[in-house]
Structure formats: structure tokens, C-alpha cells
Amino acid sequence: HQPPPLRGGVEPHPRFLYMSTNGPTNDPISDPDFGNCVLNSSSFYSLVSAGVAIPLCLFYKSYKPLIGGIGLGTAFDILNGYRLCSRKFQEKLDAEPAGSCEPELK
């Protein structure tokens, strides 16, 4: 039993399917667990940037270092989480047996 093709006639990859609002897809980014993994992965850079920015705020008597530092730290945390979770979900895809085309129902 094959799922219907996606819009535009593109067939999904048969190894693993994720459900999205547009129907089944093989893109791990559309999986809600991937988003949770990225956002919950780390807050290291945000904390380090806040630790560096607070003394700079006091020295320059401005909030600009805090806003820039927190923004940059958050961006690094999201990019690092994306990299780690991409690797984790790729290992999950590689562990799936070939020919498995039914999505997991939770």
C-alpha cells in the first residue's frame, strides 16, 4: 500500500515517512519531534553570551551588548541544535529497514 503522491507528483522516499499538514513527507524537519529536539538541545551559548554581555552593559551603560549577545547566543544554540538533531534523525532514518513505507502512529 503506497501513500498518495505529494503535490506536484513527487513520490515520497519509501524508507521513512513523516506526517505533516500537507500529507506524508520524508523530510525530518517537518516532524514535530525534530523541532522539539532543536529547541531543547542546549542553552550554552545563550548563557555564555549573557555572562559576557552583562559586564559590557554596565561598562557602556547600554542594553545593546545584552540584546546583541543574547540574539547571537540564541542563534548559535539553534544552529548547533539543528546540526545535532539532523545527525540524530539521520541515524534514525538509517536504522529503519528498507521498504518500510508506513508512518509510525503515536
Side-chain angles (χ1 to χ4, degrees):
H1 171 257
Q2 287 290 335
L6 296 176
R7 292 182 202 166
V10 177
E11 290 289 330
H13 193 275
R15 288 189 64 199
F16 201 84
L17 294 175
Y18 293 95
M19 296 303 290
S20 71
T21 55
N22 295 332
T25 179
N26 64 341
D27 184 16
I29 296 172
S30 64
D31 187 19
D33 293 335
F34 186 82
N36 292 334
C37 176
V38 170
L39 293 178
N40 295 330
S41 62
S42 171
S43 59
F44 173 75
Y45 293 110
S46 297
L47 294 174
V48 168
S49 66
V52 170
I54 289 174
L56 290 174
C57 288
L58 296 174
F59 181 76
Y60 289 112
K61 296 180 182 172
S62 172
Y63 288 112
K64 290 180 185 177
L66 186 63
I67 293 169
I70 296 291
L72 192 60
T74 303
F76 280 143
D77 282 333
I78 290 173
L79 290 173
N80 192 32
Y82 180 83
R83 184 179 54 84
L84 294 174
C85 293
S86 293
R87 187 179 311 143
K88 178 179 153 184
F89 274 73
Q90 187 61 43
E91 290 171 0
K92 184 179 177 181
L93 279 174
D94 292 341
E96 283 292 317
S100 173
C101 65
E102 294 295 323
E104 291 183 277
L105 298 176
K106 292 182 180 183

